[in-house]
Amino acid sequence: MTYLEEFKKEMMRARSEIKLSKSDLARKISKSPSFICDIECGRKKPSLETAFDISKELGISLDEILNNTLIE
């Protein structure tokens, strides 16, 4: 699994776990809800800054995601 696939999976899992809508996440990171949807659907790739902002809001670790993809 690639880093982006792992990030997308963790993003969706964490967002669902804390019951945060795409619109709410988008508002918290100053992005559009359609951009969040595009990331989750694989149509767009987040910049490193955006990935960091998303991970901070969702409480996921970019380090762990990267380490998991390097180990596989």
Side-chain angles (χ1 to χ4, degrees):
M1 188 175 293
T2 68
Y3 171 78
L4 286 172
E5 290 169 333
E6 183 72 19
F7 176 76
K8 180 175 67 170
K9 183 181 86 171
E10 282 301 305
M11 177 181 163
M12 290 187 291
R13 181 201 57 76
R15 193 174 60 72
S16 174
E17 191 174 282
I18 62 173
K19 296 176 176 46
L20 187 67
S21 71
K22 291 174 187 165
S23 295
D24 290 338
L25 176 59
R27 190 172 21 265
K28 288 175 179 266
I29 65 166
S30 301
K31 300 290 182 191
S32 70
S34 63
F35 183 67
I36 300 300
C37 183
D38 286 343
I39 292 171
E40 290 186 354
C41 292
R43 290 187 294 263
K44 292 193 177 174
K45 299 175 186 176
S47 68
L48 185 56
E49 180 181 356
T50 300
F52 178 77
D53 291 343
I54 291 169
S55 68
K56 190 170 120 184
E57 287 298 327
L58 297 178
I60 57 178
S61 168
L62 292 180
D63 289 341
E64 284 182 25
I65 292 169
L66 183 56
N67 285 334
N68 289 343
T69 58
L70 292 175
I71 292 171
E72 292 180 355

